[in-house]
Amino acid sequence: MKAFRGEILRVPHDPATAGADAVRHDPDGLLIVEDGIVAAVGTHADLAPRFPGVPVTPLDGLIVPGFVDCHVHYPQTGRIASHGEQLLQWLERHIFPAEAAFADRAHADETAAFFLDELLRNGTTSALVFATVHEGSVDALFEAALARDMRVTSGKVLMDLGPPGLRDTPASGRAESEALIARWRGRGRLGYAVTPRFALTSSDAQLAETGALLAAHPDAMLHTHLCESHGEIAAVEARFGGDYLGAYERFGLVGPRSVFAHCVHMSDDAFARMAAAGAGIAFCPTSNLFLGSGLFDLAAVDRHGVRTGIGTDVGAGTSFSVLHTLGEAYKVCQLRGCSLDPFRALHLATAGGARVMGIGDHVGGLEPGQEADFAVLDCAATPLLARRTAGASLHDRLFALQVLGDDRAIASTWLRGSRAYSRKEK
Ligand code: GUN
Ligand code: ZN
């Protein structure tokens, strides 16, 4: 058993629906961890006498649950900040050539290691990750995640209508997905997501196989893109008729295990159908701004009660930092006429995202019984942050971290109670 003493902040329930009660704050808190699991969390004064003799590690900073990145592409790490296009052209010009290189397992291994270390540098402990069409790209990521003990869900990208050299077939996509599920099921903290790239890159036959895969594997997630850019949406509607969500519904892909990145241009009717199905959304503000896709409407999502998490969506996203992504989320909400409260933002980036990923029982709230994945935030990471947060309220400090913070504000990252990253030692 071990214990961590410091200022602990967690938001296990959504303040939008649970009210102020959702925020759990212990200015002098104690986190008791046994075999990587939270045994107790609360004030030092209450807990210290109940756990005498347990070695205590003092942590300087704000202890929060590890961030959950609900949508990110590890093979696009090297193409982040590629200039000048909207979605469909950007994919053709920058992304498909970069993803073709993942036929090479050594390249996949090297990128996966860099990518996961980058997540840890940014306080991210769980992620829902796109690989490429290559089976080996998933093996590379899962091996590296297992070695680090991270919570990673991923899957082979299904795209039989992709460009030459980056295509599978309905049969090979199905067989390779089945093989990966069989190979990785139950190992470490890994999860499998059936991953059609988006409606445009799969034939009807492949989308039907995707639905069959999902039905055959009740422990698998479904991860794809939905309603991101106008050009994409027009092409989907021209091919399938009806709306974009309907193209996925037709093949049984919209349910409680489904995560859709973006959902920027959605009708009320589509949101209502998503809510009824229990599907989740990854809100990816830096990506939507970078590609000029549009402004996510969190107020509309809330009206319909669709579950939402945060995605960095690197490489269209411009940062691995969930803190920075929350700062951009705030600005997008401002432009949509709603104000994203910093406690709600922290919820979306932790417990909310965990629920979207289907891992809410395991992580996200630092609740007793959950895995002790957490990050320590440094409110004085830069001279400006230090100046802005000196003597400030918790709300102001958290908001300053959201607007001004990035990887510099991550003092350390912990996985199941063991230190996985320390800024000091880098
Ligand atoms: N839609 C289909 N593929 C992609 C991708 O790689 N990135 C983004 N942002 N949208 C997509
Ligand atoms: Zn994406």
Side-chain angles (χ1 to χ4, degrees):
M1 204 176 261
K2 46 177 125 167
F4 301 92
R5 181 176 183 176
E7 182 177 6
I8 302 173
L9 173 65
R10 37 200 201 95
V11 192
H13 304 288
D14 191 344
T17 46
D21 244 15
V23 179
R24 311 283 157 86
H25 179 225
D26 293 303
D28 182 13
L30 201 63
L31 179 70
I32 311 284
V33 178
E34 184 166 28
D35 297 330
I37 302 293
V38 177
V41 57
T43 67
H44 179 264
D46 283 348
L47 291 182
R50 281 180 45 204
F51 295 92
V54 176
V56 177
T57 303
L59 292 173
D60 205 11
L62 194 58
I63 301 168
V64 298
F67 294 125
V68 177
D69 187 341
C70 283
H71 179 72
V72 59
H73 299 248
Y74 99 83
Q76 298 177 12
T77 300
R79 297 308 301 178
I80 192 170
S82 288
H83 178 265
E85 315 279 346
Q86 290 215 349
L87 173 65
L88 297 178
Q89 300 74 25
W90 172 84
L91 285 173
E92 293 282 346
R93 179 168 157 206
H94 299 297
I95 296 307
F96 290 153
E99 292 195 7
F102 283 71
D104 175 12
R105 177 62 195 265
H107 178 64
D109 285 332
E110 190 277 329
T111 307
F114 179 91
F115 165 82
L116 292 175
D117 289 344
E118 195 65 15
L119 295 193
L120 293 171
R121 284 184 64 252
N122 282 282
T124 299
T125 51
S126 299
L128 179 56
V129 185
F130 255 71
T132 65
V133 72
H134 312 96
E135 189 176 345
S137 73
V138 182
D139 288 319
L141 180 71
F142 279 165
E143 259 179 36
L146 192 61
R148 288 164 180 75
D149 191 30
M150 294 176 74
R151 248 196 194 282
V152 165
T153 299
S154 187
K156 180 207 120 58
V157 177
L158 300 163
M159 46 189 296
D160 66 327
L161 301 183
L166 208 60
R167 272 183 205 154
D168 55 4
T169 67
S172 72
R174 173 86 192 249
E176 290 177 16
S177 301
E178 295 276 11
L180 283 162
I181 292 169
R183 188 145 69 243
W184 290 100
R185 175 175 282 137
R187 295 177 68 184
R189 298 199 282 169
L190 306 175
Y192 197 84
V194 178
T195 309
R197 180 169 212 116
F198 64 159
L200 292 179
T201 39
S202 286
S203 64
D204 285 18
Q206 183 164 68
L207 291 170
E209 287 289 1
T210 306
L213 259 174
L214 196 62
H217 297 284
D219 52 346
M221 301 293 290
L222 182 286
H223 184 199
T224 191
H225 299 90
L226 172 62
C227 289
E228 179 176 3
S229 81
H230 288 302
E232 168 212 23
I233 293 165
V236 171
E237 291 180 355
R239 176 175 146 196
F240 292 90
D243 70 5
Y244 196 154
L245 184 67
Y248 292 137
E249 286 170 327
R250 194 173 310 164
F251 296 99
L253 306 186
V254 184
R257 292 179 279 137
S258 308
V259 182
F260 296 98
H262 305 302
C263 303
V264 171
H265 308 286
M266 297 271 290
S267 65
D268 275 328
D269 183 62
F271 276 137
R273 280 149 49 212
M274 280 189 81
I281 294 175
F283 170 19
C284 307
T286 73
S287 167
N288 298 156
L289 295 170
F290 179 74
L291 290 178
S293 302
L295 301 173
F296 183 78
D297 190 349
L298 184 61
V301 168
D302 286 346
R303 268 200 308 280
H304 292 282
V306 190
R307 293 179 298 122
T308 305
I310 298 293
T312 61
D313 195 28
V314 168
T318 55
S319 173
F320 280 110
S321 168
V322 170
L323 273 182
H324 174 74
T325 306
L326 292 176
E328 297 305 283
Y330 176 80
K331 296 173 196 170
V332 166
C333 290
Q334 288 291 100
L335 285 165
R336 280 289 197 174
C338 85
S339 182
L340 177 59
D341 173 82
F343 295 113
R344 173 123 205 263
L346 182 61
H347 170 78
L348 295 177
T350 55
R355 245 164 249 154
V356 166
M357 274 186 67
I359 56 173
D361 289 345
H362 301 290
V363 292
L366 280 181
E367 298 267 60
Q370 291 192 337
E371 294 154 11
D373 287 359
F374 56 93
V376 183
L377 309 183
D378 178 2
C379 296
T382 67
L384 184 61
L385 260 171
R387 188 180 176 95
R388 176 62 184 89
T389 59
S393 67
L394 175 65
H395 177 280
D396 278 14
R397 281 187 287 141
L398 190 62
F399 188 55
L401 283 166
Q402 179 181 345
V403 175
L404 303 173
D406 52 29
D407 54 333
R408 295 168 296 177
I410 308 300
S412 57
T413 305
W414 301 71
L415 296 169
R416 289 207 264 208
S418 292
R419 197 173 65 191
Y421 164 75
S422 168
R423 191 185 52 192
K424 274 204 198 88
E425 286 175 13
K426 291 280 151 169

